[in-house]
Amino acid sequence: MTNTNNKAMIQTDNLSKHFGELAAVDGLTISIPAGEIFGLLGPNGAGKTTTIRLLTALIAPTNGTAHIAGFEVGKQDTDIRRNVGILTESPGLYDRLSAECNLGFFAELYEVEHVAEQVERYLRMLGLWDRRNEAVGTFSKGMRQKLAIARALLHEPSVLFLDEPTSGLDPEAALLVREFINELRQDGRAILICTHNLDEADRLADRIAIFNSRLLALDTPTALRRQLYGRSVVFHLSKAEPRFAQAVESKDFVQTAKIMDNKLVVTLEDPETHNPALVRSLVEIGAEIQFVGELRRSLEDVYLRMVRDE
Amino acid sequence: MNKIKVMIRKEWSEVFKNRFVFFVVAFMPLFFTAMPLIILYTSRDSGESTMGMGDVPPEFSAMCDTTSGAECFQSFIVSQFLLLFLMIPIIIPVTIASYSIVGEKTTRTLEPLLATPITTGELLAGKTLAATIPALAATWGSYLIFVIGTNVILSNPVVTGSLIEPLWLLAIFGVGPLLSIAGVSIAVMISSRVNDPRVAEQLSALVIMPLLLLFLGQTLGLIFVDQTVIIWIGLAMAIIDGVLLYFASQIFQRETILTRWK
């Protein structure tokens, strides 16, 4: 049973894990409420897997505290394990056992009440029911990943940790898994995703933490973009001239204006308010505007800049 | 208790699908039962015609005051196989435990397994019992077949009776389980440190060395294994098992295994 006294489903305070001299996780403080998908991004060796292991009570913190579903790591580990589902980096399935046996075994360890029904439900949901009696060793990588996701959900955990959930999946299967994760959010679960797929994080996560042993940034993907790059508007012009840039740059609400490949890129605080005035002034000085749109930086740009600047 | 049962069921479903493990578990008892019976069958006539009290060690012949020379010799031959039957409860669990623990490592199933609400005690108890129960079933089954087979081959109640004397019963039903526990504990300790099931199995198999030396000593006439020796072995094994179980549970640290196993 979830301890609902604490509204944040994942709450850490200065959480740290040291292996000898090495600080794998250093002073992590985050709070993730129910119904949120939280993306944890970082380079290889950044401590993401260690963070998941700390939060699933698999390893003990060196310093700081963590509460999962209201239970404290290190003190109520069995309660935490009952309330969290984990998709590990590799699926970790028993190759010689059938899909049904694999799930049945874990369902019994998780003390699931109606094992057979729950196993059938998830095997059907993830399209594996027809192959339930086949040894998992004969499954494709994508099928194994789906089975591992089913295992993480069998006991209906309130908190879910997914390490590279779409790793090795073809685009269609990856889409299915992403849609499935979105449905899980709607069920009110707190979901922490570790991924190197930045596009996926951008699509799924409500908030993103960029992490390299310590927290480098934490916000919504949109806010992170704004923090680093501000907001930019692109004017596609039939003929871009330097005077157009000079004209708009003189306005006090414009931060920068540059001509790039027949486009005028203007950075400003509040495009919704100032774009009409910008368009008017550009037309007045003879600019022929073909299209106007917001320049959208990818999460990859944000991530790479954060990690390189660190 | 339920999780231990679940663990045992899973272990058996998985481990016995491994052909090597299945071969060891099935072949070893068959071999160790068939070999003595074949020796008994082939030596049956020669024993009756030519052998007698003079062909057995004095310690054994001292126990043959009410039997004939041939019966005493056949009882002696039969007693030589006792240590052979004590190898079954070591070799089988060592093989199963080595594969079951290192197997979790190689298939990377240990992390999801440890993420469930199973305790380390339940996990180790499940793995230990999953390795020990088939070994004891095989040992006791082999012993039963050996007793029946001896009776059929020799048709001699005196010789068959010697197989159900306290010496044998104590060895098979008392020392056998203790040897199994020792084998599994050592396998758990070694498996917690190595990454290859074969290496774990080969290293764990070293546990059989003392028993092999004892068997060799008995064959060469250097040691006479009687009830007192078996009682001493039993007592020693009980103490050794306590120590081994303690160290096995200490070495099997969740965090160390998760962070060091690659």
Side-chain angles (χ1 to χ4, degrees):
Chain A
M1 191 203 302
T2 306
N3 185 346
T4 49
N5 293 334
N6 194 336
K7 281 183 185 170
M9 297 304 283
I10 301 172
Q11 174 87 54
T12 72
D13 183 18
N14 198 31
L15 189 69
S16 303
K17 180 68 186 177
H18 295 253
F19 295 107
E21 296 288 304
L22 176 77
V25 178
D26 191 11
L28 179 67
T29 301
I30 52 172
S31 177
I32 305 172
E36 177 172 295
I37 298 182
F38 186 92
L40 189 61
L41 310 181
N44 290 330
K48 300 186 297 294
T49 300
T50 302
T51 302
I52 288 189
R53 285 175 173 172
L54 283 167
L55 300 180
T56 49
L58 283 166
I59 58 175
T62 313
N63 285 310
T65 58
H67 287 83
I68 310 298
F71 300 106
E72 188 173 351
V73 170
K75 290 183 179 166
Q76 296 165 294
D77 289 352
T78 307
D79 291 314
I80 290 172
R81 291 185 194 123
R82 279 196 187 98
N83 281 283
V84 304
I86 179 171
L87 172 71
T88 47
E89 202 173 349
S90 65
L93 297 158
Y94 297 103
D95 285 353
R96 291 191 180 92
L97 300 187
S98 68
E100 197 171 24
C101 283
N102 263 284
L103 291 193
F105 168 63
F106 281 97
E108 288 193 80
L109 290 185
Y110 277 115
E111 301 155 14
V112 169
E113 213 166 311
H114 303 290
V115 171
E117 289 87 339
Q118 194 71 342
V119 167
E120 181 177 344
R121 182 175 165 231
Y122 277 103
L123 283 175
R124 284 191 188 280
M125 200 180 279
L126 288 159
L128 296 170
W129 178 248
D130 290 342
R131 301 192 64 177
R132 64 189 178 279
N133 293 320
E134 290 176 32
V136 169
T138 64
F139 280 18
S140 69
K141 203 172 174 186
M143 289 165 73
R144 295 164 68 86
Q145 187 75 351
K146 283 198 259 183
L147 193 63
I149 291 171
R151 179 185 57 201
L153 291 163
L154 276 172
H155 54 300
E156 304 295 350
S158 53
V159 180
L160 204 52
F161 295 92
L162 305 174
D163 202 348
E164 299 289 350
T166 57
S167 161
L169 299 183
D170 60 53
E172 200 181 351
L175 177 67
L176 180 98
V177 169
R178 274 199 297 274
E179 286 171 353
F180 190 62
I181 293 169
N182 255 324
E183 283 171 31
L184 296 172
R185 170 189 11 219
Q186 283 149 23
D187 290 349
R189 299 173 211 255
I191 304 170
L192 188 147
I193 297 180
C194 282
T195 181
H196 287 298
N197 184 338
L198 300 175
D199 179 53
E200 178 175 282
D202 204 2
R203 288 182 201 206
L204 280 175
D206 300 301
R207 285 191 300 154
I208 299 275
I210 298 177
F211 180 79
N212 195 359
S213 298
R214 61 191 180 81
L215 203 55
L216 303 179
L218 167 61
D219 217 321
T220 62
T222 307
L224 284 174
R225 285 189 190 95
R226 284 181 192 170
Q227 273 174 35
L228 283 188
Y229 296 105
R231 293 184 73 186
S232 299
V233 179
V234 187
F235 294 88
H236 292 248
L237 306 171
S238 59
K239 189 181 176 194
E241 294 173 22
R243 66 190 176 94
F244 299 146
Q246 288 158 10
V248 294
E249 204 160 26
S250 63
K251 300 195 180 299
D252 53 5
F253 55 81
V254 171
Q255 290 164 353
T256 61
K258 286 176 195 165
I259 297 285
M260 294 192 301
D261 305 329
N262 256 2
K263 288 175 219 149
L264 172 64
V265 180
V266 183
T267 307
L268 67 171
E269 288 260 325
D270 187 2
E272 285 82 1
T273 306
H274 297 117
N275 268 357
L278 265 182
V279 172
R280 263 197 311 274
S281 58
L282 281 168
V283 171
E284 279 167 11
I285 59 171
E288 288 180 8
I289 301 170
Q290 294 169 319
F291 305 101
V292 182
E294 184 166 6
L295 178 67
R296 192 177 154 83
R297 298 279 181 177
S298 69
L299 189 59
E300 187 178 28
D301 293 332
V302 175
Y303 170 84
L304 290 175
R305 191 163 149 187
M306 284 273 181
V307 172
R308 283 172 185 163
D309 285 354
E310 197 228 343
Chain B
M1 194 62 195
N2 186 45
K3 288 198 186 107
I4 297 174
K5 277 192 218 161
V6 172
M7 195 72 217
I8 293 172
R9 221 168 44 227
K10 189 280 289 179
E11 288 294 306
W12 289 349
S13 307
E14 216 214 352
V15 167
F16 290 124
K17 283 185 181 146
N18 180 317
R19 282 180 195 162
F20 176 74
V21 176
F22 184 78
F23 174 78
V24 169
V25 174
F27 177 76
M28 180 94 33
L30 276 177
F31 177 73
F32 279 7
T33 311
M35 190 178 70
L37 289 175
I38 291 167
I39 293 171
L40 277 183
Y41 182 78
T42 51
S43 66
R44 180 178 55 172
D45 298 333
S46 59
E48 277 174 3
S49 57
T50 59
M51 301 295 180
M53 295 280 197
D55 298 301
V56 301
E59 298 95 329
F60 197 90
S61 59
M63 301 189 300
C64 295
D65 49 353
T66 58
T67 58
S68 70
E71 281 173 342
C72 186
F73 176 73
Q74 284 171 339
S75 296
F76 172 69
I77 291 286
V78 159
S79 75
Q80 294 296 292
F81 302 125
L82 173 65
L83 292 177
L84 216 54
F85 280 88
L86 289 183
M87 289 182 196
I88 302 173
I90 297 191
I91 295 171
I92 291 176
V94 160
T95 308
I96 296 175
S98 301
Y99 270 80
S100 89
I101 295 164
V102 183
E104 301 278 4
K105 232 190 251 198
T106 51
T107 55
R108 294 178 181 271
T109 45
L110 195 75
E111 188 165 0
L113 180 60
L114 293 178
T116 69
I118 193 168
T119 63
T120 305
E122 287 168 332
L123 177 66
L124 285 179
K127 288 210 174 274
T128 303
L129 289 171
T132 307
I133 292 169
L136 293 180
T139 307
W140 295 343
S142 303
Y143 167 68
L144 189 68
I145 293 168
F146 182 58
V147 172
I148 295 167
T150 304
N151 193 45
V152 170
I153 291 168
L154 300 178
S155 302
N156 189 327
V158 174
V159 180
T160 308
S162 73
L163 283 175
I164 48 174
E165 280 178 357
L167 168 73
W168 274 83
L169 298 178
L170 192 70
I172 299 292
F173 296 103
V175 177
L178 291 170
L179 289 170
S180 273
I181 293 167
V184 173
S185 305
I186 288 171
V188 167
M189 287 194 280
I190 291 171
S191 302
S192 301
R193 296 284 174 202
V194 302
N195 288 315
D196 186 336
R198 281 162 297 187
V199 174
E201 210 244 335
Q202 283 159 8
L203 288 174
S204 306
L206 293 176
V207 74
I208 206 169
M209 285 307 286
L211 212 58
L212 272 176
L213 289 174
L214 203 63
F215 183 69
L216 198 67
Q218 184 197 41
T219 310
L220 295 173
L222 301 173
I223 303 161
F224 178 66
V225 178
D226 60 4
Q227 204 166 311
T228 313
V229 172
I230 289 295
I231 288 171
W232 276 113
I233 292 174
L235 288 173
M237 286 315 300
I239 295 166
I240 291 168
D241 280 356
V243 175
L244 288 175
L245 282 172
Y246 172 77
F247 280 114
S249 64
Q250 291 300 303
I251 285 175
F252 196 90
Q253 291 295 318
R254 284 168 179 253
E255 180 164 337
T256 312
I257 286 171
L258 273 180
T259 50
R260 288 192 191 160
W261 280 11
K262 299 290 179 200

